[in-house]
Amino acid sequence: MRNSAGIKEFRKRFNVSRETMDRLRLYDDLLRKWNPAINLVSAATLPNLWNRHFTDSAQAYFIAARDSGHWTDLGSGGGFPGAVVAILALEFSPRLHVTCIDSDVRKCEFIRTLSRNLEIPIAVHSRRIEDVPPQNAGCVSARALAPLPRLLGLVHRHISETGIAVLHKGARASAEIEAALELWHFGVERHPSISSPESFILRIRGLDIG
């Protein structure tokens, strides 16, 4: 069952159009239909789907503030944040092209189904992140994928020289940043998550090998 309060809060917070909300509701329907078979998200999070997954993904899009170019999402899973970014981009930044990468063939087929049914363009690579040709993306995102020192190696492969990364991190964000700075050079902004009080969105730029 949908959380109607979560839906209303999402629309109020991000001020999106009726068409965007319709696409997100259809996303909700498709995810609930597919989830028992391929575990796109933890079943325990379904009652709070709009805050836990949709809002959590949407905040990354608005923190990134990209209006054009190429956005690459690493380890997209059930499409978070990549597919949500693609939906928002259709309304707010139609020149932004979104690519989702995940090694799970079934999850990639779900994202392709979203792309067809929601009529949103998403390029999908069903391969290991390390095996996909470098994307030269202006923005790279990842959510709950790997500790930051390792994650930045994956980001570095796919980010452009002037690109940014928006990375979801939990309560250990500070410790992960310290560990990553021993291996990498980068600037970082920490944005408190609006969907989880102990979490952050890291906006990283100037990434280079230390």
Side-chain angles (χ1 to χ4, degrees):
M1 177 179 288
R2 287 178 179 161
N3 182 338
S4 58
I7 295 172
K8 290 178 181 178
E9 178 62 25
F10 183 97
R11 185 168 191 181
K12 179 181 178 181
R13 183 184 297 277
F14 298 113
N15 193 28
V16 300
S17 68
R18 180 184 300 174
E19 291 77 13
T20 293
M21 292 302 298
D22 287 345
R23 285 187 170 92
L24 290 168
R25 288 189 182 94
L26 181 53
Y27 190 162
D28 181 329
D29 291 341
L30 288 167
L31 186 143
R32 292 175 190 276
K33 180 179 178 180
W34 283 58
N35 205 60
I38 61 175
N39 194 34
L40 297 163
V41 299
S42 168
T45 66
L46 287 176
N48 197 28
L49 179 64
W50 281 76
N51 183 64
R52 180 67 182 84
H53 298 293
F54 289 148
T55 293
D56 197 42
S57 297
Q59 65 180 332
Y61 170 80
F62 289 105
I63 287 170
R66 308 299 283 191
D67 62 0
S68 63
H70 184 194
W71 182 305
T72 295
D73 185 42
L74 308 180
S76 299
F80 304 108
V84 175
V85 168
I87 292 168
L88 294 170
L90 203 61
E91 176 177 355
F92 296 105
S93 47
R95 296 182 298 163
L96 184 66
H97 303 284
V98 177
T99 295
C100 289
I101 302 174
D102 199 282
S103 61
D104 190 313
V105 173
R106 298 176 305 166
K107 291 178 180 178
C108 287
E109 186 54 37
F110 172 73
I111 296 172
R112 292 187 183 101
T113 299
L114 283 178
S115 179
R116 290 192 300 271
N117 283 267
L118 277 59
E119 298 181 336
I120 49 171
I122 306 175
V124 182
H125 293 285
S126 180
R127 297 167 65 184
R128 286 170 51 86
I129 296 165
E130 301 91 332
D131 296 334
V132 175
Q135 297 295 295
N136 194 36
C139 185
V140 176
S141 59
R143 183 173 181 254
L145 183 59
L148 192 60
R150 177 172 176 267
L151 178 57
L152 291 181
L154 302 175
V155 171
H156 189 258
R157 176 177 178 80
H158 294 291
I159 200 168
S160 70
E161 288 188 6
T162 59
I164 64 167
V166 283
L167 310 174
H168 291 73
K169 283 293 163 187
R172 287 184 48 79
S174 294
E176 290 193 31
I177 291 169
E178 288 184 15
L181 284 169
E182 296 180 4
L183 302 171
W184 299 93
H185 292 304
F186 58 90
V188 59
E189 301 170 5
R190 291 182 240 198
H191 296 261
S193 172
I194 59 176
S195 60
S196 174
E198 295 183 350
S199 298
F200 298 87
I201 308 294
L202 305 184
R203 191 178 193 270
I204 288 174
R205 61 170 62 250
L207 178 63
D208 202 359
I209 298 171

